[in-house]
Amino acid sequence: MRTLIKGGTVVTATETTQADVVIEDERVAAIGVGMPVQADVEIDATDRYVMPGGVDVHTHMDLPFGGSFCSDDFETGTRAAAFGGTTTIVDFALQDYGEGLRQGLDRWHEKAKKATTDFGFHMIIREVNDQVLKEMDELVGEGVTSFKLFMAYPGVFMLDDASIFRAMRQAGDSGALIMMHAENGGPIDVLVRQFLDEGKTEPLSHGLTRPSVMEGEAVHRVFKLAELAETPAYIVHLSSRDALDAVREARDRGMPAFAETCPQYLYLSIDDMAGPGFEGAKFVCSPPLRPAEHQEELWKGLRGDDLQIVSTDHAPFNFVGQKDLGKDDFSKIPNGLPSVEDRFTLLYGGVEAGHIGLNRFVEIVATAPAKMFGLYPRKGTIAPGSDADIVVFDPRVEREISAKTHHMNVDYSAYEGRKVRGLPEIVLQRGQVLVQDGAFHGKPGQGRFLPRSRISV
């Protein structure tokens, strides 16, 4: 099977050029101009960008949290991702208390059998003991090369510094990467209890009890522990100037210190949590949304590569029936926002606004995550031999984000009514069309598990 994408502007992290792309079976065969190609399928990309499929390395499909489950499973979530230009996700498998890592990973393999895009796994560690440390090495050998630890959520996910340090040393020995949810959960828990005792139960209190100084402190501590363990570390969903300054300080000292941010921290603010009635619950996530003045600093961090990646932390919960579990107690609102379908176009808005260039956009949404998490050059670029995961993106389309038209299995949009430019018009996975003419052409189960290589940063 040979496909020709002709007449478009091919954009990678390093180049922008008018060129055609030839796909043979599942891989990119050639890139050039005027190639004499006999193709089975031709795609006209005139006046459009031809970009690598997005790689979202932070999603939560079918994750149990706060007495509920994320409303997207691997079928609905990966389908929505494809509509949004993302062709690869890396989701988080979860270790339950009292079990090893293997049981959690096996459970996620079962969940992912419905995936319509390719996928990999990180592993969330809730308990650290000798058996878990041994299993970390085993999982790395199977291509699960990153592990997420928490400094927040006492009694649910939070680990002490000694456990974190032990896991960091083990990861350093095995070539894995430690990913950290960096908020100081102890003081936050004290503030939460204080606010509830004072009758401050509204969604805004979620943000006020998780101040940015506690994120900054935790990020600083992460990199001090990582320095002692002689291993890299990666901060997930960084939200604030305080946290970014701690990343910069570590990088300035020569530490292999890395971080991602998310669209919500670039476009939404704590003001959204202060909406009328209970509307603010739609915007409850952790770390919380910050005052709007933090946004420009995050864009600056993306421009300067102190932030390497934009992922979504996609964790959707319906407003009715799930978020409203916390109607009278903000601490019971399931934490998370739906955004796996919106990342590509929202970040392209950063190009339109002059925050980042077109090549940097591709680097942030595709190339850097593929490199950081052991998927490059198979994923994250358009080059001979790479998987033909390609987005034909029309930058001229003007549209409005809305729950009425999105494909995520959730009853609201955090970006309802936001006007954007750009549409992932045609999306291919390994040379097969997933999305075209507004219709989905994939099927559950066609996504493949991606064993990832060891981290080399």
Side-chain angles (χ1 to χ4, degrees), residues 10 17 19-22 28-33 35 382-384:
V10 177
T17 183
D20 301 334
V21 179
V22 180
V28 176
I31 304 169
V33 179
M35 296 179 290
I382 299 176

Side-chain angles (χ1 to χ4, degrees), residues 185-198 200 205-206 208-210 329-332:
I188 288 170
D189 201 40
V190 171
L191 291 175
V192 168
R193 294 178 187 278
Q194 175 191 329
F195 271 55
L196 291 174
D197 287 345
E198 294 172 355
K200 300 173 182 176
S205 294
H206 173 79
L208 299 177
T209 56
R210 307 181 85 92
D329 179 347
F330 69 87
S331 69
K332 295 180 180 177

Side-chain angles (χ1 to χ4, degrees), residues 118-297:
D118 289 354
F119 61 92
F121 293 128
H122 315 288
M123 192 78 218
I124 292 174
I125 297 178
R126 300 174 82 171
E127 292 181 292
V128 175
N129 52 45
D130 290 346
Q131 177 61 29
V132 165
L133 295 175
K134 179 183 176 183
E135 284 187 286
M136 286 175 69
D137 281 349
E138 295 172 1
L139 265 60
V140 168
E142 297 176 24
V144 179
T145 56
S146 41
F147 300 88
K148 183 181 180 183
L149 312 178
F150 285 78
M151 292 173 152
Y153 303 121
V156 181
F157 290 119
M158 183 173 161
L159 294 171
D160 60 32
D161 286 357
S163 296
I164 292 169
F165 180 61
R166 291 183 74 195
M168 282 182 167
R169 291 207 299 185
Q170 191 70 31
D173 290 342
S174 63
L177 181 64
I178 291 294
M179 309 169 74
M180 293 297 310
H181 180 131
E183 293 180 285
N184 192 327
I188 288 170
D189 201 40
V190 171
L191 291 175
V192 168
R193 294 178 187 278
Q194 175 191 329
F195 271 55
L196 291 174
D197 287 345
E198 294 172 355
K200 300 173 182 176
T201 62
E202 66 280 355
L204 177 62
S205 294
H206 173 79
L208 299 177
T209 56
R210 307 181 85 92
S212 60
V213 65
M214 287 294 92
E215 186 185 17
E217 183 278 331
V219 172
H220 176 79
R221 186 158 34 106
V222 167
F223 291 123
K224 287 298 185 182
L225 290 169
E227 185 174 20
L228 186 62
E230 299 182 338
T231 189
Y234 177 96
I235 304 300
V236 296
H237 48 47
L238 185 145
S239 71
S240 67
R241 180 191 303 112
D242 308 63
L244 180 54
D245 284 345
V247 173
R248 287 169 170 152
E249 189 270 339
R251 290 175 67 82
D252 287 347
R253 288 189 292 110
M255 275 290 297
F258 307 100
E260 69 182 21
T261 191
C262 305
Q264 54 266 34
Y265 304 122
L266 298 170
Y267 288 104
L268 304 175
S269 79
I270 195 169
D271 293 342
D272 292 295
M273 270 194 292
F278 193 62
E279 284 291 306
K282 294 177 178 178
F283 303 94
V284 167
C285 58
S286 292
L289 303 177
R290 304 298 184 185
E293 57 262 27
H294 288 255
Q295 294 171 2
E296 178 50 44
E297 198 65 25

Side-chain angles (χ1 to χ4, degrees), residues 15 46 70 125 159 186 194 205 232 234 243 246 259 326 414 421 452 454:
E15 292 182 294
T46 303
C70 289
I125 297 178
L159 294 171
Q194 175 191 329
S205 294
Y234 177 96
R421 284 173 60 90
R452 296 180 290 114
R454 286 171 168 81

Side-chain angles (χ1 to χ4, degrees), residues 58 103 113 116 168 244 270 286 293 298 374 403 422 440:
H58 191 153
Q103 292 99 311
K113 285 181 177 180
T116 63
M168 282 182 167
L244 180 54
I270 195 169
S286 292
E293 57 262 27
L298 297 182
F440 189 68

